[in-house]
mmCIF file of all heavy atoms in Angstrom:
data_model
loop_
_atom_site.group_PDB
_atom_site.id
_atom_site.type_symbol
_atom_site.label_atom_id
_atom_site.label_comp_id
_atom_site.label_asym_id
_atom_site.label_seq_id
_atom_site.Cartn_x
_atom_site.Cartn_y
_atom_site.Cartn_z
ATOM 1 N N ILE A 113 2.091 291.943 -38.071
ATOM 2 C CA ILE A 113 2.404 291.599 -39.430
ATOM 3 C C ILE A 113 3.230 292.809 -39.981
ATOM 4 O O ILE A 113 2.727 293.955 -39.986
ATOM 5 C CB ILE A 113 1.178 291.397 -40.299
ATOM 6 C CG1 ILE A 113 0.268 290.445 -39.645
ATOM 7 C CG2 ILE A 113 1.486 290.962 -41.772
ATOM 8 C CD1 ILE A 113 0.805 289.011 -39.469
ATOM 9 N N SER A 114 4.440 292.491 -40.450
ATOM 10 C CA SER A 114 5.236 293.571 -41.070
ATOM 11 C C SER A 114 6.074 293.006 -42.118
ATOM 12 O O SER A 114 6.167 291.781 -42.361
ATOM 13 C CB SER A 114 6.156 294.235 -39.942
ATOM 14 O OG SER A 114 7.084 293.297 -39.445
ATOM 15 N N ILE A 115 6.920 293.808 -42.732
ATOM 16 C CA ILE A 115 7.866 293.341 -43.871
ATOM 17 C C ILE A 115 8.822 292.324 -43.259
ATOM 18 O O ILE A 115 9.320 291.528 -43.921
ATOM 19 C CB ILE A 115 8.544 294.553 -44.523
ATOM 20 C CG1 ILE A 115 9.189 294.087 -45.829
ATOM 21 C CG2 ILE A 115 9.490 295.255 -43.615
ATOM 22 C CD1 ILE A 115 9.694 295.140 -46.779
ATOM 23 N N SER A 116 9.148 292.425 -42.022
ATOM 24 C CA SER A 116 10.077 291.430 -41.382
ATOM 25 C C SER A 116 9.574 289.937 -41.510
ATOM 26 O O SER A 116 10.360 289.134 -41.528
ATOM 27 C CB SER A 116 10.477 291.922 -39.886
ATOM 28 O OG SER A 116 9.301 291.763 -39.119
ATOM 29 N N ASP A 117 8.286 289.835 -41.548
ATOM 30 C CA ASP A 117 7.713 288.508 -41.708
ATOM 31 C C ASP A 117 7.977 287.863 -43.029
ATOM 32 O O ASP A 117 8.388 286.705 -43.115
ATOM 33 C CB ASP A 117 6.199 288.465 -41.400
ATOM 34 C CG ASP A 117 5.837 288.832 -39.971
ATOM 35 O OD1 ASP A 117 6.301 288.148 -39.078
ATOM 36 O OD2 ASP A 117 5.206 289.812 -39.716
ATOM 37 N N SER A 118 7.888 288.708 -44.050
ATOM 38 C CA SER A 118 8.268 288.302 -45.426
ATOM 39 C C SER A 118 9.755 287.951 -45.517
ATOM 40 O O SER A 118 10.183 286.935 -46.068
ATOM 41 C CB SER A 118 7.821 289.210 -46.490
ATOM 42 O OG SER A 118 6.416 289.280 -46.596
ATOM 43 N N LEU A 119 10.528 288.797 -44.940
ATOM 44 C CA LEU A 119 11.993 288.659 -44.981
ATOM 45 C C LEU A 119 12.434 287.358 -44.206
ATOM 46 O O LEU A 119 13.295 286.634 -44.602
ATOM 47 C CB LEU A 119 12.735 289.820 -44.415
ATOM 48 C CG LEU A 119 12.592 291.183 -45.271
ATOM 49 C CD1 LEU A 119 13.160 292.330 -44.458
ATOM 50 C CD2 LEU A 119 13.112 290.974 -46.610
ATOM 51 N N TYR A 120 11.706 287.130 -43.083
ATOM 52 C CA TYR A 120 12.052 285.859 -42.202
ATOM 53 C C TYR A 120 11.806 284.664 -43.065
ATOM 54 O O TYR A 120 12.476 283.731 -43.076
ATOM 55 C CB TYR A 120 11.227 286.017 -40.961
ATOM 56 C CG TYR A 120 11.760 285.088 -39.843
ATOM 57 C CD1 TYR A 120 12.652 285.585 -38.988
ATOM 58 C CD2 TYR A 120 11.289 283.821 -39.728
ATOM 59 C CE1 TYR A 120 13.027 284.724 -37.854
ATOM 60 C CE2 TYR A 120 11.702 282.917 -38.775
ATOM 61 C CZ TYR A 120 12.533 283.416 -37.798
ATOM 62 O OH TYR A 120 13.101 282.579 -36.785
ATOM 63 N N SER A 121 10.574 284.685 -43.707
ATOM 64 C CA SER A 121 10.280 283.512 -44.525
ATOM 65 C C SER A 121 11.283 283.287 -45.763
ATOM 66 O O SER A 121 11.644 282.207 -46.001
ATOM 67 C CB SER A 121 8.766 283.682 -45.087
ATOM 68 O OG SER A 121 7.870 283.590 -44.151
ATOM 69 N N LEU A 122 11.624 284.393 -46.435
ATOM 70 C CA LEU A 122 12.555 284.326 -47.458
ATOM 71 C C LEU A 122 13.864 283.919 -47.017
ATOM 72 O O LEU A 122 14.551 283.132 -47.735
ATOM 73 C CB LEU A 122 12.669 285.712 -48.274
ATOM 74 C CG LEU A 122 11.425 286.115 -48.983
ATOM 75 C CD1 LEU A 122 11.420 287.610 -49.406
ATOM 76 C CD2 LEU A 122 11.140 285.272 -50.192
ATOM 77 N N ASN A 123 14.284 284.256 -45.873
ATOM 78 C CA ASN A 123 15.617 283.971 -45.393
ATOM 79 C C ASN A 123 15.564 282.417 -45.085
ATOM 80 O O ASN A 123 16.523 281.642 -45.442
ATOM 81 C CB ASN A 123 15.877 284.667 -44.093
ATOM 82 C CG ASN A 123 17.247 284.374 -43.542
ATOM 83 O OD1 ASN A 123 18.231 284.381 -44.173
ATOM 84 N ND2 ASN A 123 17.316 284.174 -42.170
ATOM 85 N N TYR A 124 14.473 281.876 -44.577
ATOM 86 C CA TYR A 124 14.303 280.468 -44.342
ATOM 87 C C TYR A 124 14.288 279.714 -45.652
ATOM 88 O O TYR A 124 14.908 278.644 -45.889
ATOM 89 C CB TYR A 124 13.071 280.129 -43.580
ATOM 90 C CG TYR A 124 12.648 278.630 -43.537
ATOM 91 C CD1 TYR A 124 13.376 277.723 -42.918
ATOM 92 C CD2 TYR A 124 11.681 278.242 -44.492
ATOM 93 C CE1 TYR A 124 13.086 276.349 -42.950
ATOM 94 C CE2 TYR A 124 11.327 276.854 -44.537
ATOM 95 C CZ TYR A 124 12.025 276.014 -43.754
ATOM 96 O OH TYR A 124 11.704 274.660 -43.871
ATOM 97 N N LEU A 125 13.524 280.205 -46.616
ATOM 98 C CA LEU A 125 13.381 279.437 -47.895
ATOM 99 C C LEU A 125 14.667 279.483 -48.714
ATOM 100 O O LEU A 125 15.001 278.500 -49.346
ATOM 101 C CB LEU A 125 12.230 280.119 -48.693
ATOM 102 C CG LEU A 125 10.835 279.844 -48.229
ATOM 103 C CD1 LEU A 125 9.763 280.794 -48.895
ATOM 104 C CD2 LEU A 125 10.437 278.430 -48.446
ATOM 105 N N PHE A 126 15.344 280.618 -48.800
ATOM 106 C CA PHE A 126 16.407 280.695 -49.760
ATOM 107 C C PHE A 126 17.730 280.783 -49.201
ATOM 108 O O PHE A 126 18.823 280.712 -49.896
ATOM 109 C CB PHE A 126 16.153 281.822 -50.758
ATOM 110 C CG PHE A 126 14.907 281.608 -51.477
ATOM 111 C CD1 PHE A 126 13.710 282.402 -51.219
ATOM 112 C CD2 PHE A 126 14.832 280.663 -52.525
ATOM 113 C CE1 PHE A 126 12.554 282.200 -51.874
ATOM 114 C CE2 PHE A 126 13.660 280.499 -53.198
ATOM 115 C CZ PHE A 126 12.564 281.213 -52.967
ATOM 116 N N LEU A 127 17.987 281.083 -47.982
ATOM 117 C CA LEU A 127 19.313 281.370 -47.389
ATOM 118 C C LEU A 127 19.655 280.480 -46.211
ATOM 119 O O LEU A 127 20.554 280.730 -45.422
ATOM 120 C CB LEU A 127 19.451 282.810 -47.004
ATOM 121 C CG LEU A 127 19.370 283.854 -48.091
ATOM 122 C CD1 LEU A 127 19.328 285.247 -47.495
ATOM 123 C CD2 LEU A 127 20.357 283.661 -49.113
ATOM 124 N N ASN A 128 18.926 279.273 -46.114
ATOM 125 C CA ASN A 128 19.123 278.338 -45.010
ATOM 126 C C ASN A 128 18.938 279.041 -43.652
ATOM 127 O O ASN A 128 19.724 278.594 -42.692
ATOM 128 C CB ASN A 128 20.521 277.664 -45.100
ATOM 129 C CG ASN A 128 20.514 276.323 -45.766
ATOM 130 O OD1 ASN A 128 19.447 275.857 -45.977
ATOM 131 N ND2 ASN A 128 21.640 275.754 -45.981
ATOM 132 N N GLY A 129 17.989 279.905 -43.593
ATOM 133 C CA GLY A 129 17.802 280.650 -42.266
ATOM 134 C C GLY A 129 17.158 279.801 -41.266
ATOM 135 O O GLY A 129 16.777 278.583 -41.466
ATOM 136 N N SER A 130 17.005 280.240 -40.103
ATOM 137 C CA SER A 130 16.247 279.590 -38.974
ATOM 138 C C SER A 130 14.918 279.133 -39.342
ATOM 139 O O SER A 130 14.158 279.833 -40.141
ATOM 140 C CB SER A 130 16.188 280.410 -37.679
ATOM 141 O OG SER A 130 17.501 280.856 -37.361
ATOM 142 N N SER A 131 14.561 277.950 -38.870
ATOM 143 C CA SER A 131 13.100 277.443 -39.064
ATOM 144 C C SER A 131 12.044 278.547 -38.421
ATOM 145 O O SER A 131 12.498 279.285 -37.519
ATOM 146 C CB SER A 131 12.918 276.194 -38.351
ATOM 147 O OG SER A 131 13.675 275.199 -38.992
ATOM 148 N N LEU A 132 10.871 278.625 -38.935
ATOM 149 C CA LEU A 132 9.899 279.457 -38.414
ATOM 150 C C LEU A 132 9.543 278.843 -36.956
ATOM 151 O O LEU A 132 9.588 277.708 -36.795
ATOM 152 C CB LEU A 132 8.813 279.486 -39.281
ATOM 153 C CG LEU A 132 8.880 280.502 -40.491
ATOM 154 C CD1 LEU A 132 10.068 280.216 -41.345
ATOM 155 C CD2 LEU A 132 7.551 280.618 -41.252
ATOM 156 N N PRO A 133 9.021 279.732 -36.067
ATOM 157 C CA PRO A 133 8.546 279.243 -34.759
ATOM 158 C C PRO A 133 7.351 278.347 -34.981
ATOM 159 O O PRO A 133 6.650 278.454 -35.946
ATOM 160 C CB PRO A 133 8.190 280.592 -34.048
ATOM 161 C CG PRO A 133 8.870 281.633 -34.786
ATOM 162 C CD PRO A 133 8.997 281.164 -36.164
ATOM 163 N N PRO A 134 7.047 277.519 -33.940
ATOM 164 C CA PRO A 134 5.877 276.641 -34.023
ATOM 165 C C PRO A 134 4.602 277.519 -34.037
ATOM 166 O O PRO A 134 4.567 278.600 -33.494
ATOM 167 C CB PRO A 134 5.973 275.811 -32.759
ATOM 168 C CG PRO A 134 7.103 276.285 -31.988
ATOM 169 C CD PRO A 134 7.839 277.337 -32.782
ATOM 170 N N PRO A 135 3.580 276.928 -34.680
ATOM 171 C CA PRO A 135 3.506 275.637 -35.272
ATOM 172 C C PRO A 135 4.003 275.730 -36.747
ATOM 173 O O PRO A 135 3.520 276.485 -37.470
ATOM 174 C CB PRO A 135 1.990 275.364 -35.372
ATOM 175 C CG PRO A 135 1.367 276.694 -35.459
ATOM 176 C CD PRO A 135 2.240 277.637 -34.677
ATOM 177 N N PHE A 136 5.039 275.013 -37.039
ATOM 178 C CA PHE A 136 5.739 275.056 -38.266
ATOM 179 C C PHE A 136 5.823 273.821 -39.092
ATOM 180 O O PHE A 136 5.378 273.706 -40.160
ATOM 181 C CB PHE A 136 7.082 275.704 -38.037
ATOM 182 C CG PHE A 136 7.916 275.667 -39.284
ATOM 183 C CD1 PHE A 136 7.612 276.375 -40.454
ATOM 184 C CD2 PHE A 136 9.060 274.997 -39.348
ATOM 185 C CE1 PHE A 136 8.281 276.300 -41.617
ATOM 186 C CE2 PHE A 136 9.859 275.002 -40.541
ATOM 187 C CZ PHE A 136 9.483 275.674 -41.659
ATOM 188 N N SER A 137 6.358 272.738 -38.453
ATOM 189 C CA SER A 137 6.619 271.660 -39.225
ATOM 190 C C SER A 137 5.268 270.837 -39.508
ATOM 191 O O SER A 137 5.084 270.057 -40.487
ATOM 192 C CB SER A 137 7.488 270.646 -38.467
ATOM 193 O OG SER A 137 6.970 270.311 -37.251
ATOM 194 N N GLU A 138 4.207 271.072 -38.727
ATOM 195 C CA GLU A 138 2.847 270.575 -38.979
ATOM 196 C C GLU A 138 1.852 271.541 -38.461
ATOM 197 O O GLU A 138 2.102 272.379 -37.697
ATOM 198 C CB GLU A 138 2.786 269.182 -38.323
ATOM 199 C CG GLU A 138 2.897 269.159 -36.913
ATOM 200 C CD GLU A 138 2.954 267.758 -36.304
ATOM 201 O OE1 GLU A 138 3.628 266.879 -36.928
ATOM 202 O OE2 GLU A 138 2.288 267.435 -35.300
ATOM 203 N N ILE A 139 0.657 271.315 -38.893
ATOM 204 C CA ILE A 139 -0.543 272.253 -38.477
ATOM 205 C C ILE A 139 -0.739 272.086 -36.988
ATOM 206 O O ILE A 139 -0.671 271.017 -36.307
ATOM 207 C CB ILE A 139 -1.722 271.713 -39.200
ATOM 208 C CG1 ILE A 139 -1.708 271.932 -40.751
ATOM 209 C CG2 ILE A 139 -3.022 272.485 -38.650
ATOM 210 C CD1 ILE A 139 -2.831 271.306 -41.508
#
Side-chain angles (χ1 to χ4, degrees):
I113 309 299
S114 68
I115 194 168
S116 64
D117 294 301
S118 289
L119 295 174
Y120 198 90
S121 292
L122 290 168
N123 187 46
Y124 165 74
L125 287 168
F126 297 107
L127 298 175
N128 261 352
S130 301
S131 294
L132 280 58
F136 173 62
S137 57
E138 59 187 44
I139 295 172

